[in-house]
Amino acid sequence: MKLVEFLKKEYNYNPNIKDDIKGYIEQWDSWYIANVRNFHNYFIYNGRQKVNQKRYTMNMAKEISEDWADILWSEKCKISMKNNESQQEFDNLADDLGLDEVISQAIEKSGALGTCAVVTNVYDLLSNEDTMTIDVSQAKIRTDIVDVDLIFPLSWNNKTITECAFGSVEYNDGNKYIILSVHKLNDKGNYVIYNHLFKETNSNLTEKKNDDGTINEFDTLSNKKWFAIFKPNLTNNLFKNNPFGIPHYANAIDKLKAVDIAFDGLPNEVKDGRKRTFVRADMLNYDDGTQKMVFDPNDTSIYVLPKGATKDDLIQSESDDLRTDKLIGTLNTCLNILGNSVGFGENHYHFDGTNLSTATAVISSNSKMFRRKKKLEIGYESAIFDLVQAICYASSTFGTNNINTDGMVILFDDSIVEDKQAESTRALEEVSAGVLSKVEYRMKIFGETEEIAKQKIEEIRKNEPTMKDLLGE
């Protein structure tokens, strides 16, 4: 039995959903690992035979995905809760889960392959079948990143996935196991998680009984999703009516090829630029009874001339000056075109002959890069909101925390915008003029909720009392 067959039989999964985009996902993944079949491995014909070549790569798909992840999420980004108590508990939970790293990795993977998921799990729940109760005193929360190849959408609307199955792979005593987690809504509108365990043998799956304490059917008692789907907020022009997203470079494959071809020209220019020797075919061997080769047949600097060459063309060589400066100029042109097509604008990437560098991280608020950043934030804010709600609900309902996410604010980092300081200065002037309150200032500049902003202002007032405060007036 195959995993797709099980999902189709038990949960009415439509395999066409994934089949429609499987070829694209494989292509994107090959660019992400910089090993594209029939491109990074190719042949050069030397006049006698094909010689296998390995194309040098700048791995720009990985670079683009990392750069957007760094720009969109960093330690300067902030998730603010309604009050200090919830904020403290959330900060501790986020540190335990390594939430910043999880979000950053999910943004990078979704930017590279179009879609990524983060699934929330709770474990070490102690159930008492006699009293039908659950002991949450030792419960712990875990988040798992699921790659696109193990995401199986079951229901969606407006391209928002509402029900989904997720797979993961584990090894135990040399055996491979597939863990399937299916998130479905029940008649009450609450999410129920169905857990299945399979042992894989020769690519076939056999369902096994969960004997590690895993609850086979877990009612979350809420309509809050325990999974978050990360994908770039880009219009999917490659396939319609499909809940999967597309990566940053989905429409820039030709640009990726151009960059690697230009980059590959540099080492090949040095390797082949020393000399090119043209040899008549009958000069490759000499007959001493064993037909020995004169030249190495794998040497791409030797090119065999066709039959019919005259004696005057017996052997001749060609040697030119290296063209590295022109090749570097061509490479930078290709990098500029690629950077612009994936939303960074012009002159974002530059190769100086030794290293790849990026433009300064300070950009204009009306630049293409800033507009693309704000567009991408819209989609990722929704995914981060789902993720934070899931871990806070799970840790509060099935754990020992008590985190209120009402009024939660997600603040992205806009410090790369060159007029951020001007915005802060202007807001201070508006406070002084009475146009803007201190609470509104903190909410706008620091991304705090109204309640926390009021608390911070009160703390400042107490730490820096006025003369009236000191006199008790």
Side-chain angles (χ1 to χ4, degrees):
M1 178 176 60
K2 306 295 183 182
L3 192 60
V4 171
E5 294 173 356
F6 175 83
L7 284 167
K8 184 178 179 180
K9 178 182 178 182
E10 299 294 332
Y11 295 99
N12 200 30
Y13 172 68
N14 182 1
N16 293 333
I17 299 166
K18 185 69 69 69
D19 291 344
D20 290 344
I21 66 168
K22 185 177 180 180
Y24 287 105
I25 294 175
E26 290 175 350
Q27 181 189 49
W28 300 332
D29 185 52
S30 65
W31 277 105
Y32 187 50
I33 63 177
N35 187 16
V36 180
R37 187 172 57 182
N38 298 328
F39 179 75
H40 288 110
N41 291 286
Y42 64 103
F43 296 92
I44 288 181
Y45 183 65
N46 65 2
R48 190 178 183 89
Q49 66 183 35
K50 291 181 178 180
V51 180
N52 188 35
Q53 299 289 296
K54 175 70 176 177
R55 178 167 278 124
Y56 290 84
T57 177
M58 296 194 76
N59 201 355
M60 291 306 297
K62 170 71 171 173
E63 184 74 30
I64 290 166
S65 305
E66 281 187 351
D67 285 352
W68 270 123
D70 292 342
I71 291 169
L72 289 164
W73 196 261
S74 69
E75 69 281 355
K76 294 182 180 179
C77 298
K78 185 176 177 59
I79 300 173
S80 298
M81 296 300 163
K82 188 173 183 179
N83 54 64
N84 280 328
E85 292 76 15
S86 291
Q87 186 70 56
Q88 186 62 52
E89 288 197 39
F90 169 74
D91 289 343
N92 293 336
L93 177 62
D95 288 341
D96 291 341
L97 295 175
L99 191 60
D100 281 337
E101 292 81 0
V102 170
I103 292 174
S104 181
Q105 289 179 26
I107 291 176
E108 179 181 334
K109 285 194 171 186
S110 64
L113 300 177
T115 310
C116 176
V118 181
V119 180
T120 298
N121 296 293
V122 59
Y123 60 103
D124 284 353
L125 287 174
L126 303 177
S127 59
N128 189 321
E129 296 182 0
D130 295 333
T131 61
M132 301 295 292
T133 59
I134 296 178
D135 182 1
V136 301
S137 60
Q138 299 182 41
K140 298 180 180 64
I141 304 300
R142 185 180 71 193
T143 56
D144 296 317
I145 297 177
V146 182
D147 292 336
V148 63
D149 57 323
L150 288 174
I151 299 175
F152 306 94
L154 301 174
S155 303
W156 65 91
N157 54 73
N158 293 326
K159 298 186 179 180
T160 298
I161 298 175
T162 55
E163 296 180 315
C164 197
F166 304 95
S168 61
V169 179
E170 290 188 5
Y171 290 87
N172 188 10
D173 294 332
N175 296 313
K176 183 178 180 180
Y177 293 90
I178 306 295
I179 301 170
L180 184 67
S181 174
V182 184
H183 297 237
K184 292 275 293 180
L185 289 164
N186 63 13
D187 295 337
K188 296 179 180 179
N190 295 335
Y191 277 97
V192 178
I193 302 174
Y194 302 91
N195 296 301
H196 302 274
L197 176 67
F198 301 90
K199 181 180 180 181
E200 182 176 308
T201 306
N202 297 326
S203 299
N204 288 315
L205 300 180
T206 304
E207 189 168 9
K208 311 292 289 185
K209 180 181 179 181
N210 284 314
D211 54 5
D212 60 353
T214 301
I215 301 175
N216 295 326
E217 185 176 326
F218 178 69
D219 191 343
T220 67
L221 308 175
S222 171
N223 61 358
K224 293 181 174 65
K225 293 189 293 187
W226 282 42
F227 61 89
I229 302 297
F230 285 72
K231 55 184 180 181
N233 184 26
L234 302 173
T235 301
N236 190 336
N237 64 316
L238 301 178
F239 33 86
K240 299 178 179 179
N241 303 318
N242 196 293
F244 290 98
I246 60 174
H248 301 294
Y249 46 82
N251 291 280
I253 300 300
D254 287 344
K255 283 89 169 179
L256 290 172
K257 289 181 178 180
V259 168
D260 278 0
I261 290 172
F263 181 64
D264 184 61
L266 286 170
N268 281 316
E269 176 72 7
V270 175
K271 181 178 69 174
D272 297 337
R274 60 189 184 277
K275 182 179 287 188
R276 171 71 67 175
T277 302
F278 298 91
V279 182
R280 206 175 65 196
D282 58 6
M283 294 298 299
L284 285 180
N285 307 313
Y286 70 89
D287 191 0
D288 63 349
T290 61
Q291 282 289 314
K292 292 182 178 178
M293 299 290 293
V294 177
F295 302 103
D296 181 359
N298 291 318
D299 188 348
T300 57
S301 68
I302 304 296
Y303 193 90
V304 182
L305 291 172
K307 290 183 179 180
T310 66
K311 292 183 178 179
D312 296 334
D313 299 324
L314 188 64
I315 294 180
Q316 57 179 300
S317 299
E318 182 181 275
S319 180
D320 291 321
D321 294 333
L322 295 179
R323 302 165 296 168
T324 52
D325 289 343
K326 292 182 179 179
L327 286 170
I328 290 174
T330 301
L331 175 58
N332 278 316
T333 299
C334 293
L335 286 170
N336 188 26
I337 295 172
L338 174 63
N340 193 42
S341 66
V342 296
F344 290 126
E346 296 181 354
N347 303 316
H348 182 74
Y349 291 116
H350 179 77
F351 183 73
D352 61 7
T354 305
N355 299 303
L356 176 71
S357 60
T358 57
T360 177
V362 178
I363 62 174
S364 169
S365 61
N366 63 357
S367 68
K368 180 174 183 176
M369 181 177 174
F370 181 71
R371 293 195 301 272
R372 177 65 64 86
K373 176 181 182 294
K374 304 310 289 185
K375 178 181 178 180
L376 292 171
E377 285 175 358
I378 294 172
Y380 285 124
E381 182 179 19
S382 176
I384 295 169
F385 184 88
D386 288 342
L387 173 58
V388 173
Q389 269 213 328
I391 62 174
C392 291
Y393 173 79
S395 65
S396 299
T397 306
F398 301 98
T400 57
N401 286 326
N402 184 22
I403 305 174
N404 183 2
T405 58
D406 293 340
M408 174 178 60
V409 175
I410 299 172
L411 180 67
F412 290 91
D413 175 30
D414 281 345
S415 62
I416 62 173
V417 185
E418 61 185 8
D419 58 359
K420 181 66 175 177
Q421 183 59 44
E423 180 185 1
S424 177
T425 302
R426 183 170 61 252
L428 282 174
E429 292 174 351
E430 291 172 350
V431 171
S432 299
V435 178
L436 195 70
S437 71
K438 292 181 179 180
V439 172
E440 291 172 321
Y441 173 85
R442 294 193 67 92
M443 292 173 65
K444 180 178 182 180
I445 301 301
F446 297 121
E448 296 172 345
T449 62
E450 181 178 359
E451 186 172 338
I452 289 183
K454 290 178 179 179
Q455 291 175 352
K456 293 293 185 182
I457 292 171
E458 182 62 21
E459 289 174 5
I460 294 172
R461 189 192 67 78
K462 290 180 179 179
N463 291 330
E464 298 178 0
T466 63
M467 183 59 69
K468 290 184 177 181
D469 294 328
L470 293 173
L471 296 174
E473 297 179 0

